[in-house]
Amino acid sequence: MKIPLESLRSCLDGAVPAVVSTCSPDGIPNVAYASQVHYVDAAHVALSFQFFSKTRENVLAHPYAQVQVIEPGSFRHFRLRVRYLRTETAGPLFEYMKAQLAGIAAQTGMDKVFVLRGADVYQVLDIENVDPHLPAAPPRPDALLGLRRTLDQLGTCDDLAVLADRALAALTHGFGIRHAQLAMLDETGNALYTLASLGYPASGVGAEVALGEGLIGVAARERIPVRINHRTGDYTYHAALRVADPATPRIALPVLTDAHSQIAVPVVDGECLLGVLYAESEHDAFFGHADEDALQIYGRHLGALVSRIAALPDEESAALPLPRTQPRGTPLAVRYFAHDHSVFVDNGYLIKGVAGSILWTLLNEHLASGRRDFCNRELRRDPRLPLPDLSDNLETRLILLQRRLAERCPQIALEKTGRGRFRLNIDRPLALQSA
Amino acid sequence: MSVLLSPEQIAFLQGPLSMNVGAVGRDGWPCVSRAQGIVVARDRRTLTVLLSSVRSRAVLDALDAGSAITLVASRPATHATLQLKAARAERVAVTAAHRAASARCVAGFGAELAALGYGDDLATALAALLPTDDLTGLRFVPEVVFDQTPGPQAGRVLARA
């Protein structure tokens, strides 16, 4: 019976090194260890091209090879007859393999040696089970069942903040994931910021990652899921990465200091990238191929839900007016830096960018008119917010601002009073200063 | 002509290794099979490599048909790797000493992997996967020895006949 390549995906995670047998045009065989044999699709694998080796010289001249892979758990061997097709040096496949190689390299202590030059794509022509008498490795937990449990737990909701938190908490129920975050693409499309997190001492809400940096940034830029099965010392793939401009104030990204498994999947609605769902574990090989499939579907589901909530109309009825309250105590010193819209409260960094600009506008409006009730619609039209089209992003920025205030400056709070409506609650007098 | 293996190379070849034998079939396809033991002769020039007859059918057929042979041996803990090549190999009768050498080699390989975190039950699984009652011995005289340790120097010739 023909063995489908899909059934060998667990052999193609780099857990046990594979070997590649090639031959020169004059018939001299060569066998080399392959640090990475990557599942591309049902008919193709890709091997990492790291050095100009005899293997490479051989396949360029005589494109036929045999690859021997090993199933973790059972140690069953499989041999793949393959034909070299092409080398990719950029794009999603290359980026995925580069990220995964960083994990394999660190796990095998070869961090300084393994650098991906290209992804050599091979067509798989035949698969031989070398050990048909041996039982297969015990199956991993059913990822489809995990996805169903996650979706059952997620349920439905019309509130983006609730959705963000629930989307992460549901992962624990479905997949046993205990550390995760949801990062949203910002309005420039060049960076992502953490909107919600699960299982970290500090929430890290508002932390930024540049597009293309770290696992989150690579998953966003390439719009592909990226999974690393081993701890990596390669800083490029540590999720805790520098922000685009190191001189600007930053919020630390919530990540484990010693993650052994990481996965990032794009959150998309159709063709539109909205963000990245990232999860990690202290255990090696925590996420399998099937988990990657399931979480990729989950990312699409979340994307559709986020878009649906964003499209809901704001509530028309205004919140009941409140009597003016008199904030008491020492004034809060709020400083605003217009060049990056950053806001500092009592010299402590609070927020920047769109959320900073919104806060500054609200506080000034409040001081000028005493208003505390606002709606999203007016913010979208407010000329004091010199920002690009906010229509898709405003709600997530307000959630971000609300959470940063709750964590860093509880004397100022944003209270949701309806869909598209919120109230500013201030306990202390304000001393606003624009730098 | 043949290569005189150094004492270090001989010691290495008798350590806890992952080893594979490659050949080229009559149809021009390269093939590979896991080996499960190496015995170095007293002359320091001749090797006998031990393979499962059933698991290595394609490689053995290729060698019977006159293919050149390559043997790659790698130490999992250090990634130190040697590749030895020769124009031909011949089958030899498997002796009790060969079986003992194979059992030692497989056990050493399993212990090495267990120490690297591949699981304590791996040694048992390997012994079941690579038994000594199905061995074929291949004798060959390496004509070139390469350093195949991963890195830009991989492929460097260490000795040539």
Side-chain angles (χ1 to χ4, degrees):
Chain A
M1 194 178 79
K2 194 168 160 51
I3 301 170
L5 186 58
E6 290 98 326
S7 69
L8 302 190
R9 291 201 300 175
S10 68
C11 308
L12 308 178
D13 264 345
V16 187
V19 292
V20 187
S21 176
T22 59
C23 67
S24 61
D26 56 350
I28 305 298
N30 191 78
V31 173
Y33 284 85
S35 38
Q36 198 179 17
V37 183
H38 179 81
Y39 175 85
V40 177
D41 59 34
H44 299 89
V45 294
L47 272 65
S48 55
F49 158 36
Q50 296 151 233
F51 314 106
F52 292 101
S53 62
K54 188 68 182 170
T55 295
R56 187 164 176 76
E57 184 186 325
N58 282 352
V59 296
L60 290 178
H62 181 76
Y64 305 102
Q66 188 173 61
V67 180
Q68 179 177 270
V69 298
I70 296 169
E71 182 180 56
S74 73
F75 225 65
R76 290 191 302 168
H77 288 47
F78 295 87
R79 296 191 191 112
L80 284 57
R81 272 194 169 193
V82 298
R83 185 165 65 95
Y84 169 76
L85 296 180
R86 64 182 184 277
T87 298
E88 296 187 9
T89 55
L93 174 64
F94 177 80
E95 292 296 339
Y96 190 124
M97 289 186 69
K98 192 172 157 195
Q100 205 166 53
L101 184 64
I104 294 168
Q107 195 240 358
T108 53
M110 302 297 280
D111 320 37
K112 303 285 185 281
V113 177
F114 287 176
V115 177
L116 191 69
R117 290 171 184 264
D120 289 342
V121 180
Y122 290 80
Q123 180 185 11
V124 178
L125 302 170
D126 184 51
I127 300 173
E128 175 197 2
N129 180 355
V130 182
D131 303 294
H133 59 289
L134 287 186
R140 295 177 63 95
D142 186 339
L144 196 57
L145 183 60
L147 177 61
R148 179 179 162 180
R149 284 186 181 143
T150 305
L151 294 178
D152 285 348
Q153 189 74 10
L154 179 65
T156 59
C157 72
D158 289 343
D159 184 293
L160 192 55
V162 174
L163 175 73
D165 290 336
R166 235 194 244 169
L168 299 179
L171 290 171
T172 306
H173 196 76
F175 293 94
I177 291 169
R178 303 196 176 279
H179 308 281
Q181 63 175 291
L182 182 63
M184 307 302 289
L185 191 68
D186 78 3
E187 59 288 336
T188 68
N190 294 322
L192 300 106
Y193 57 92
T194 303
L195 183 65
S197 69
L198 170 80
Y200 301 102
S203 80
V205 164
E208 291 186 29
V209 169
L211 198 72
E213 287 196 323
L215 224 58
I216 293 172
V218 169
R221 187 184 65 197
E222 305 297 333
R223 300 189 182 199
I224 54 166
V226 186
R227 179 169 52 95
I228 296 183
N229 266 341
H230 311 284
R231 185 186 62 78
T232 169
D234 186 337
Y235 78 93
T236 307
Y237 294 101
H238 274 161
L241 285 160
R242 59 198 156 85
V243 291
D245 178 0
T248 59
R250 60 169 294 181
I251 301 164
L253 198 70
V255 285
L256 295 172
T257 51
D258 194 26
H260 282 231
S261 298
Q262 302 165 262
I263 188 166
V265 298
V267 173
V268 293
D269 180 32
E271 294 297 307
C272 180
L273 177 73
L274 301 176
V276 167
L277 177 67
Y278 171 81
E280 58 186 352
S281 166
E282 305 94 333
H283 304 290
D284 274 336
F286 187 82
F287 305 107
H289 276 278
D291 298 320
E292 180 183 313
D293 296 340
L295 290 175
Q296 190 174 12
I297 295 168
Y298 190 53
R300 291 177 187 167
H301 183 74
L302 291 179
L305 288 181
V306 168
S307 289
R308 190 184 71 81
I309 291 173
L312 291 174
D314 293 347
E315 284 178 355
E316 287 298 329
S317 58
L320 290 175
L322 289 178
R324 277 187 81 114
T325 55
Q326 196 60 49
R328 294 161 189 265
T330 321
L332 281 175
V334 182
R335 292 186 76 192
Y336 175 68
F337 295 85
H339 72 278
D340 63 355
H341 310 293
S342 58
V343 177
F344 290 73
V345 177
D346 285 346
N347 293 323
Y349 171 66
L350 178 67
I351 197 87
K352 70 179 175 68
V354 179
S357 179
I358 292 171
L359 178 62
W360 184 246
T361 303
L362 295 177
L363 295 179
N364 276 281
E365 181 66 30
H366 172 69
L367 276 194
S369 67
R371 275 184 68 195
R372 291 171 56 199
D373 287 304
F374 300 88
C375 66
N376 291 7
R377 189 182 304 155
E378 65 181 301
L379 287 184
R380 289 192 186 98
R381 295 170 181 165
D382 195 315
R384 286 171 295 183
L385 298 175
L387 300 160
D389 178 17
L390 288 173
S391 56
D392 293 336
N393 236 300
L394 180 61
E395 188 66 22
T396 55
R397 289 299 188 173
L398 285 169
I399 296 167
L400 168 63
L401 177 58
Q402 185 182 39
R403 293 182 172 188
R404 279 295 288 174
L405 286 167
E407 284 181 7
R408 295 300 170 112
C409 183
Q411 300 86 353
I412 302 174
L414 288 186
E415 176 193 358
K416 195 164 172 106
T417 53
R419 190 180 311 124
R421 313 194 75 86
F422 59 93
R423 176 170 292 156
L424 191 60
N425 292 323
I426 299 175
D427 289 349
R428 298 253 300 269
L430 300 175
L432 304 187
Q433 185 187 357
S434 180
Chain B
M1 286 298 288
S2 59
V3 167
L4 184 67
L5 295 170
S6 71
E8 293 77 20
Q9 289 165 345
I10 293 169
F12 176 81
L13 291 172
Q14 293 174 334
L17 301 175
S18 166
M19 55 189 83
N20 286 277
V21 170
V24 182
R26 291 174 221 258
D27 57 1
W29 278 88
C31 48
V32 64
S33 185
R34 178 172 294 280
Q36 51 191 87
I38 298 170
V39 177
V40 183
R42 288 178 188 277
D43 67 2
R44 291 171 47 191
R45 297 177 185 277
T46 308
L47 296 183
T48 301
V49 60
L50 301 155
L51 301 91
S52 157
S53 308
V54 172
R55 302 178 84 251
S56 311
R57 199 164 287 143
V59 164
L60 294 172
D61 284 351
L63 293 169
D64 286 345
S67 165
I69 183 172
T70 184
L71 166 68
V72 170
S74 178
R75 177 140 194 203
T78 62
H79 308 286
T81 306
L82 289 181
Q83 179 154 206
L84 305 96
K85 296 189 180 185
R88 67 190 62 80
E90 60 178 1
R91 295 194 190 219
V92 293
V94 174
T95 65
H98 287 149
R99 288 191 226 293
S102 176
R104 260 198 321 276
C105 174
V106 171
F109 178 46
E112 178 106 338
L113 292 184
L116 290 173
Y118 281 87
D120 294 335
D121 50 353
L122 185 64
T124 315
L126 274 178
L129 185 79
L130 306 171
T132 58
D133 57 0
D134 169 38
L135 293 177
T136 293
L138 291 170
R139 187 163 58 199
F140 70 101
V141 180
E143 292 152 14
V144 57
V145 180
F146 298 93
D147 176 5
Q148 209 69 43
T149 306
Q153 84 297 332
R156 184 168 57 101
V157 174
L158 297 177
R160 189 186 291 274

